Amino acid sequence: MLESDISILEIQTKSKDDGSRHESDLQNMSLTVAEHDIVLIQSDLRNKATWLLDMAQGLTHSDHGSVSFMGVKWGTLTSYDDCRLRSRIGRVYDQQIWISNLDVYENIALSELHHTNRCETEIREEIVRLAERMSLRELLTKRPADLHENDLQLAQWVRAFIGSHKLILMSRPEAGVSSEDIQTLIDIVFSAVSEGSGVIWTTTSDERIWRHPRLNAVRRFRILNEQLISVMEGTGEDL
Amino acid sequence: MKILRRIGIWTIRRFTHLRLVCSVIAAVFFLAVQKRYWPRTVRAVFMKQIVFTGFDALSLILLVGVLAGISVVTQAQLWLGKFGQIEMLGPLLVAVIVREAGPLLVNFAVIGRSGTAIAAELASMRVRGEIDLLDAQGVDPMVYLVMPRVLSIAISVLSLTVVFVVASFGSGYLFGLPIGVSAGDPSVFVRTVLQAVTTKDIANLLAKTIIPGLVSGAICCVEGLSAHGSATEIPQATARAVVRSIASVLFVSALISVLTYA
């Protein structure tokens, strides 16, 4: 892993004095993601992992914490600038969510076409190149409803990694795909990280990810009892 | 007391809804005048909506316009001719077709055809979590979904009303020829109608197409986006959008008539 001090994401939450508790909240948490950083988080509580990623994206807010992305606190900008900033984040969702009246290519290209002035041919070429790695090329012109769940999951990866995202958030991206495809995903993740992105990867107890040799050196955490607990690198043991 | 309470709650709800619709229209104007809110994706959605709401509705509006022309224009020529009041033909047709029937019928046709589609589409997007997906991608649903739809409805209603007026006058005149009620020279008919059109009529036509178009577009978007939970919300949101849009169009049209001609 390349070392970098440039922080992309900083999340801080405190414990609540009033004892109030939202079922998804994580308390006393401090998480920083820098450039070239991969953070692997294991959680069997999917709502907590989703809450964490939503918070990182500025989609949900905590009364007892703050989130800064690229040095800017979510909620302090105008709606327009908030949207521009959010466009720098790619995400793989836990569930398949697609704009149903657009085809898969249009879905994947939407954010880039909306936020950048890049030539459409260039965007198309990038999408096709990435889709070919996952044998998805012929499926790009189809509607999401016509695709098998596994293919949609692979298409989600393309959607998350297209463009120049500073941060990539992934909720169980390995769900429902083969070990061969996971290898491709890890290649893509490392390629994005080498270009300066930061990655948060949440997973359940999938040994294919948690014990993957290439992910041994990454920072690891577990969500246990509303806490984000650091896990010793390479061992899988709690600190 | 219970009745008073209910009336109070109903009134507050109506006003809250009215305020929301007005806010959406104001936001649409605020966004539409700024170039940065027109990226290529929004322009593409806007063009698609213009084609769907305006161009694809041409055949329907032409049909309604021709039928309205046959019934209204021909009747007007027939009866005014019988009473020896044929010089009143222009003012009468302008009052009936241009001021009232044209804008109203076109608004209703657009609500029935496109307003329902917009409300159902946005409601299903809401229910399926697609609005949240847009948000997460930094694509503001107000910019990407609402603004182009509201504007396209207003522009389409105006354009289609012009088509409707021309079609109804043309068909009325042509249908009157074989039954002997139309003047032989078409230029006389055209001149009679054009002479009756005043600046007020043009302002009235613009107001009665653009304003109700904006209002019904905003209502359909608001109702669609207010759906949440289950798929059963989709038809309910669509029905609410149609009922409220029709009521609003009637109210706004009546108000504009009073303000213009009273």
Side-chain angles (χ1 to χ4, degrees):
Chain A
M1 299 291 301
L2 297 166
E3 291 298 323
S4 169
D5 288 335
I6 303 168
S7 164
I8 297 172
L9 180 78
E10 286 173 52
I11 305 179
Q12 304 276 344
T13 62
K14 297 173 193 161
S15 61
K16 295 169 191 173
D17 303 331
D18 57 2
S20 66
R21 211 162 66 183
H22 188 276
E23 61 171 13
S24 320
D25 279 5
L26 292 172
Q27 298 189 35
N28 275 332
M29 188 184 82
S30 174
L31 177 67
T32 305
V33 181
E35 282 185 348
H36 312 294
D37 216 357
I38 299 176
V39 174
L40 191 58
I41 299 173
Q42 190 200 39
S43 172
D44 291 324
L45 304 163
R46 274 148 69 174
N47 64 335
K48 292 199 188 294
T50 303
W51 176 84
L52 179 65
L53 300 189
D54 281 350
M55 201 161 152
Q57 239 184 331
L59 296 172
T60 188
H61 303 281
S62 170
D63 298 336
H64 299 80
S66 67
V67 183
S68 297
F69 174 61
M70 292 172 76
V72 180
K73 273 190 183 177
W74 286 120
T76 57
L77 298 174
T78 62
S79 162
Y80 177 79
D81 292 326
D82 246 8
C83 287
R84 299 284 301 179
L85 201 59
R86 201 168 287 130
S87 73
R88 305 299 310 276
I89 302 173
R91 184 161 174 182
V92 176
Y93 294 85
D94 203 11
Q95 294 169 321
Q96 296 299 335
I97 309 173
W98 295 85
I99 308 295
S100 48
N101 63 1
L102 301 178
D103 64 32
V104 174
Y105 164 75
E106 289 167 332
N107 264 283
I108 294 170
L110 178 65
S111 181
E112 280 295 290
L113 289 171
H114 190 81
H115 293 289
T116 71
N117 290 322
R118 285 175 72 194
C119 163
E120 193 175 350
T121 318
E122 193 189 314
I123 296 170
R124 182 179 285 273
E125 280 169 2
E126 191 187 348
I127 291 171
V128 168
R129 211 168 33 243
L130 207 47
E132 271 174 349
R133 289 180 71 176
M134 293 158 210
S135 314
L136 282 179
R137 188 175 178 173
E138 284 74 36
L139 305 178
L140 288 176
T141 51
K142 291 191 174 178
R143 291 285 168 104
D146 299 330
L147 261 67
H148 190 270
E149 190 91 354
N150 289 5
D151 293 328
L152 276 179
Q153 184 72 336
L154 301 180
Q156 272 215 85
W157 300 354
V158 182
R159 184 173 64 185
F161 285 91
I162 215 73
S164 52
H165 292 138
K166 284 306 286 182
L167 179 66
I168 292 150
L169 307 171
M170 302 196 292
S171 274
R172 298 196 310 130
E174 72 282 0
V177 300
S178 66
S179 298
E180 203 176 295
D181 285 328
I182 287 177
Q183 202 53 51
T184 311
L185 173 65
I186 290 172
D187 288 343
I188 297 167
V189 167
F190 275 88
S191 163
V193 164
S194 71
E195 286 167 18
S197 301
V199 174
I200 300 181
W201 183 334
T202 67
T203 179
T204 48
S205 307
D206 196 328
E207 293 292 315
R208 295 179 301 172
I209 305 304
W210 199 246
R211 303 278 176 203
H212 197 286
R214 285 187 74 187
L215 296 173
N216 259 348
V218 306
R219 286 165 59 212
R220 289 154 175 257
F221 293 87
R222 273 205 180 109
I223 295 176
L224 279 174
N225 303 325
E226 289 153 15
Q227 304 278 328
L228 188 70
I229 298 164
S230 182
V231 177
M232 200 179 287
E233 284 178 6
T235 66
E237 297 301 318
D238 296 358
L239 278 174
Chain B
M1 285 307 280
K2 244 184 181 177
I3 292 171
L4 279 177
R5 191 168 163 268
R6 279 186 184 172
I7 292 171
I9 291 170
W10 184 87
T11 310
I12 289 168
R13 276 191 190 153
R14 292 286 89 80
F15 271 100
T16 308
H17 189 262
L18 178 67
R19 204 174 55 188
L20 183 60
V21 171
C22 291
S23 309
V24 168
I25 294 171
V28 164
F29 275 117
F30 174 77
L31 299 171
V33 295
Q34 297 181 67
K35 199 184 165 202
R36 65 179 179 165
Y37 291 112
W38 286 97
R40 52 191 155 179
T41 47
V42 176
R43 294 198 300 270
V45 171
F46 179 66
M47 290 314 294
K48 262 190 199 171
Q49 283 297 321
I50 286 282
V51 169
F52 171 67
T53 311
F55 190 75
D56 290 354
L58 262 177
S59 52
L60 171 70
I61 297 300
L62 277 171
L63 178 70
V64 177
V66 165
L67 294 175
I70 290 170
S71 48
V72 178
V73 181
T74 311
Q75 286 289 333
Q77 289 180 105
L78 177 69
W79 289 100
L80 288 174
K82 276 188 181 175
F83 292 120
Q85 298 281 320
I86 200 68
E87 70 278 3
M88 292 302 292
L89 181 66
L92 182 69
L93 289 183
V94 167
V96 175
I97 299 285
V98 179
R99 289 182 194 171
E100 303 298 336
L104 265 185
L105 287 174
V106 171
N107 266 301
F108 291 159
V110 168
I111 290 168
R113 200 181 161 279
S114 302
T116 49
I118 287 172
E121 183 192 13
L122 296 187
S124 62
M125 285 182 83
R126 184 82 184 168
V127 167
R128 285 196 291 251
E130 294 173 21
I131 305 291
D132 296 333
L133 173 68
L134 286 175
D135 243 342
Q137 290 183 312
V139 178
D140 188 344
M142 186 71 201
V143 175
Y144 181 69
L145 297 174
V146 177
M147 181 182 75
R149 280 167 175 76
V150 172
L151 288 179
S152 70
I153 285 204
I155 292 168
S156 299
V157 169
L158 171 63
S159 315
L160 290 171
T161 303
V162 174
V163 171
F164 176 92
V165 169
V166 172
S168 56
F169 283 169
S171 70
Y173 172 78
L174 291 173
F175 194 77
L177 280 177
I179 59 171
V181 296
S182 293
D185 187 359
S187 65
V188 175
F189 176 80
V190 172
R191 207 179 314 121
T192 312
V193 172
L194 286 180
Q195 276 173 352
V197 177
T198 63
T199 320
K200 264 188 180 179
D201 293 323
I202 294 168
N204 177 73
L205 182 76
L206 288 172
K208 278 193 174 178
T209 50
I210 293 171
I211 297 172
L214 289 171
V215 172
S216 58
I219 288 172
C220 292
C221 290
V222 165
E223 294 301 337
L225 291 174
S226 65
H228 51 82
S230 67
T232 53
E233 289 262 337
I234 300 169
Q236 289 172 15
T238 311
R240 270 199 312 272
V242 172
V243 171
R244 288 182 175 172
S245 296
I246 288 175
S248 303
V249 165
L250 287 170
F251 177 77
V252 172
S253 293
L255 188 68
I256 292 168
S257 285
V258 170
L259 291 175
T260 317
Y261 299 108

